[in-house]
Amino acid sequence: MTIIEIKHPKELTRLRRLALSAQGLLQAQPFGSGLAGARKAIKHIGYVQIDTISVVERAHHHVLHSRVPRFTPATANQLLLDRDIFEYWSHAAAFLPITDFRFSLPYKHSIKSGQIHWYKNPDKKLMGELLARIKADGPLRSRDVETSTKKGAAGWWDWKPAKKALEQLYMQGDLMVSSREGFQKTYDLTERVLPSNINTQMPSTQEFALHLVEQQLRCHGLVSLKGLTYLRRNAELRKTVKDLVNQRLTQGTLEQIQVGGGEVFLLATGALEQPLPRVNNRLKILSPFDNSVIQRQRLKALFDYDYQIECYVPEAKRQYGYFSLPLLFRDQFIGRMDCKAHRKISHLEIKSLHLQEHLFDQDLVITAWVEAITQFCHFQNCESVSLMQVYPKHLGQRLNTQLKLLK
C-alpha cells in the first residue's frame, strides 16, 4: 500500500494544524462556552483524564479550560450530575461521554468474570455487604468509608479493605460515581445512576474497533496504528482494529503518510488537500495530561517536541521541574513552564520558564504569554504572579517587566 512521505516543511505544518484543529486547540471557542461547550468538547475529544496532582488546577479541569471559555471546575461535576458524562477507566481514570457507556462494558465484564484482575482475591463478602448497604441506605461517599476507621469510630469496616471493595465494585460495573467534590467521590448503584435511554448492549469486538477508529480520527485528525489502541492490551481488539484499517486502506477511504522517514500515520483520504486551518497568535498553557500531548511518541514525531512529565523523576535528575506544562504557540510547542499555585495566598509562582527561542518571534510570544498567564491566574484563583527563572536568561527582564504591569 502506498505511503506518502512528508518531507517539505509546509506539508508538516499542514499535518500539525490538522492535528491541533481536530483537538480544538486552534480556534477561540471550537465547542462553544460554559456548560454546553464542555459537553460538546468531551464528546468530541472522547475522554478527559482525571489526575490527583494539584500543584495547579487538576488535569481534568485544565484540559477543558484549554478548549472551553468560561469553564470552571464546578462545571465538571455538573456534567456528572446532569449525566452527560460518566467516570471510568480509559487508558487511565477519565471522564467519558455518557453516550459511549457501552464501550466500558467489555472491560467491566473481564474484571467481573476474573479474566483480568483489578485487585487479586477481592473480598466478595465485604463487597456484598457494601452493595447491600448502598442498595438499602442510598449513595455512599468515599469519605464515609475513610472516617469509619478513626479510633473509637463505630464503623463496621476497615478503610483499606472497604476502599478496595468499593473500587472493585466500581471497576466491575456494579457501582458508578454519581457525583464528586474534588476527589471525594459518591458511589451509587449503576441502575440508579445510568439514564434509561443509554445503550447498555455489550459491543462486539468489531463494533468496538469501529468506535475506536472513528473516534481517534475525529479527535486527532491523524493517528498511528499503535495510537488507535493506545495502552489497550486486548490482543483481539488490536487485531480487529488492524484488520479494519487495512480494509479501509484497500477501499481507499484511508491513506498513509510517513513523517521524516519515521512514524507512519493514518488519515482520511483527501484530508491533506483540505484548506489549511488558520492559526492566530494565542499561546496555550496545556496540562501534561492533555489529550494532544499524552502520546509522547506521536508528539515527538509530529511536533519534534520531546516532552516528559518529571514529577515521577528523582528531583536531582529533573531538567525542567516537577510539573512542567507544555506551551503551544500558533502550531508549535515552544517550551514549558513549571509552576505552583499557592492557594492560601492566591499567588501563582512560576518556578521556571523554558522557551525554545529559535521557534518564534520574540515580541509576539511575550505578548501572547502575558495574556495567557493573565487567564491562567484567573483559572487558578490567583491574584498575583511571580517569575523566578527564565531560559534563555536574556528574556527574563522583559517578561518580568510585563508581569509587573499586571499588578
Side-chain angles (χ1 to χ4, degrees), residues 51-54 56-63 182-183 343 379:
D51 193 74
T52 59
I53 297 173
S54 60
V56 292
E57 188 58 66
R58 289 185 172 95
H60 43 291
H61 299 145
H62 191 166
V63 170
F183 262 78
R343 295 179 177 87
F379 178 51

Side-chain angles (χ1 to χ4, degrees), residues 175-231:
L175 298 178
M176 290 181 70
V177 174
S178 58
S179 68
R180 60 156 62 219
E181 298 175 30
F183 262 78
Q184 291 291 338
K185 295 182 282 191
T186 297
Y187 296 93
D188 201 355
L189 302 177
T190 292
E191 57 262 33
R192 293 203 294 231
V193 175
L194 194 65
S196 58
N197 64 324
I198 297 302
N199 188 344
T200 57
Q201 184 178 4
M202 178 75 72
S204 66
T205 305
Q206 288 75 19
E207 287 176 316
F208 203 164
L210 179 62
H211 166 71
L212 286 177
V213 170
E214 292 185 343
Q215 178 202 68
Q216 293 298 296
L217 285 170
R218 180 187 71 237
C219 71
H220 285 302
L222 61 154
V223 291
S224 66
L225 184 60
K226 181 180 178 181
L228 285 169
T229 53
Y230 178 63
L231 293 185

Side-chain angles (χ1 to χ4, degrees), residues 89-306:
W89 197 260
S90 182
H91 70 268
F95 288 136
L96 301 151
I98 195 71
T99 49
D100 289 349
F101 177 81
R102 67 188 296 237
F103 298 106
S104 70
L105 296 176
Y107 195 52
K108 290 172 179 173
H109 173 74
S110 295
I111 292 174
K112 193 165 189 174
S113 64
Q115 297 174 41
I116 59 176
H117 297 287
W118 189 252
Y119 291 114
K120 289 187 177 180
N121 304 314
D123 188 336
K124 294 187 177 180
K125 180 175 180 296
L126 181 54
M127 287 164 59
E129 291 172 349
L130 281 167
L131 207 55
R133 177 153 181 174
I134 293 171
K135 186 177 294 185
D137 297 344
L140 181 69
R141 299 176 302 176
S142 53
R143 69 165 63 117
D144 295 331
V145 175
E146 294 171 12
T147 55
S148 70
T149 59
K150 293 179 179 178
K151 288 189 176 180
W156 55 282
W157 49 58
D158 290 328
W159 178 71
K160 285 186 178 179
K163 181 176 182 292
K164 286 185 176 182
L166 270 177
E167 289 185 353
Q168 181 74 22
L169 288 165
Y170 160 70
M171 289 303 299
Q172 69 182 37
D174 295 299
L175 298 178
M176 290 181 70
V177 174
S178 58
S179 68
R180 60 156 62 219
E181 298 175 30
F183 262 78
Q184 291 291 338
K185 295 182 282 191
T186 297
Y187 296 93
D188 201 355
L189 302 177
T190 292
E191 57 262 33
R192 293 203 294 231
V193 175
L194 194 65
S196 58
N197 64 324
I198 297 302
N199 188 344
T200 57
Q201 184 178 4
M202 178 75 72
S204 66
T205 305
Q206 288 75 19
E207 287 176 316
F208 203 164
L210 179 62
H211 166 71
L212 286 177
V213 170
E214 292 185 343
Q215 178 202 68
Q216 293 298 296
L217 285 170
R218 180 187 71 237
C219 71
H220 285 302
L222 61 154
V223 291
S224 66
L225 184 60
K226 181 180 178 181
L228 285 169
T229 53
Y230 178 63
L231 293 185
R232 296 182 186 272
R233 297 180 176 85
N234 185 322
E236 182 184 4
L237 178 61
R238 290 200 300 267
K239 181 182 182 303
T240 305
V241 165
K242 185 177 181 179
D243 290 343
L244 178 59
V245 165
N246 286 335
Q247 179 185 341
R248 291 193 170 189
L249 287 169
T250 301
Q251 293 171 342
T253 57
L254 283 182
E255 58 187 358
Q256 299 179 99
I257 57 167
Q258 188 173 35
V259 179
E263 192 158 5
V264 174
F265 291 95
L266 304 153
L267 71 168
T269 298
L272 288 174
E273 283 72 53
Q274 296 300 312
L276 187 66
R278 295 177 62 187
V279 296
N280 53 48
N281 292 328
R282 262 194 314 272
L283 184 145
K284 285 189 176 288
I285 302 166
L286 300 180
S287 168
F289 300 103
D290 194 277
N291 301 43
S292 64
V293 303
I294 198 66
Q295 295 186 36
R296 312 298 195 210
Q297 288 182 338
R298 179 181 191 274
L299 188 63
K300 173 67 173 171
L302 270 183
F303 294 93
D304 194 25
Y305 184 64
D306 193 4

Side-chain angles (χ1 to χ4, degrees), residues 221-402:
L222 61 154
V223 291
S224 66
L225 184 60
K226 181 180 178 181
L228 285 169
T229 53
Y230 178 63
L231 293 185
R232 296 182 186 272
R233 297 180 176 85
N234 185 322
E236 182 184 4
L237 178 61
R238 290 200 300 267
K239 181 182 182 303
T240 305
V241 165
K242 185 177 181 179
D243 290 343
L244 178 59
V245 165
N246 286 335
Q247 179 185 341
R248 291 193 170 189
L249 287 169
T250 301
Q251 293 171 342
T253 57
L254 283 182
E255 58 187 358
Q256 299 179 99
I257 57 167
Q258 188 173 35
V259 179
E263 192 158 5
V264 174
F265 291 95
L266 304 153
L267 71 168
T269 298
L272 288 174
E273 283 72 53
Q274 296 300 312
L276 187 66
R278 295 177 62 187
V279 296
N280 53 48
N281 292 328
R282 262 194 314 272
L283 184 145
K284 285 189 176 288
I285 302 166
L286 300 180
S287 168
F289 300 103
D290 194 277
N291 301 43
S292 64
V293 303
I294 198 66
Q295 295 186 36
R296 312 298 195 210
Q297 288 182 338
R298 179 181 191 274
L299 188 63
K300 173 67 173 171
L302 270 183
F303 294 93
D304 194 25
Y305 184 64
D306 193 4
Y307 178 76
Q308 178 186 18
I309 184 171
E310 296 182 336
C311 55
Y312 309 115
V313 175
E315 185 173 1
K317 295 184 178 180
R318 290 176 193 152
Q319 185 177 1
Y320 298 107
Y322 176 80
F323 200 64
S324 66
L325 310 177
L327 302 179
L328 174 68
F329 178 68
R330 294 175 65 87
D331 52 18
Q332 290 184 303
F333 288 89
I334 63 162
R336 58 208 86 200
M337 181 178 76
D338 185 43
C339 54
K340 177 178 175 62
H342 298 276
R343 295 179 177 87
K344 289 184 179 180
I345 58 173
S346 300
H347 180 74
L348 180 68
E349 177 191 11
I350 303 173
K351 297 185 175 184
S352 66
L353 174 66
H354 292 79
L355 297 172
Q356 296 171 260
E357 191 180 9
H358 66 283
L359 293 178
F360 56 81
D361 178 288
Q362 191 177 112
D363 292 336
L364 289 177
V365 163
I366 288 175
T367 300
W369 181 78
V370 171
E371 290 176 358
I373 285 295
T374 303
Q375 295 177 14
F376 197 65
C377 280
H378 292 158
F379 178 51
Q380 307 300 324
N381 290 319
C382 289
E383 298 174 358
S384 60
V385 58
S386 59
L387 175 59
M388 309 308 292
Q389 294 180 307
V390 179
Y391 305 94
K393 292 183 179 181
H394 70 86
L395 293 178
Q397 184 174 351
R398 284 192 65 185
L399 289 165
N400 270 299
T401 299
Q402 291 297 314

Side-chain angles (χ1 to χ4, degrees), residues 35 39 78-80 82-86 96-99:
L35 183 65
R39 185 184 301 119
Q78 191 60 51
L79 290 170
L80 265 179
D82 292 346
R83 306 302 182 237
D84 291 313
I85 62 174
F86 73 106
L96 301 151
I98 195 71
T99 49

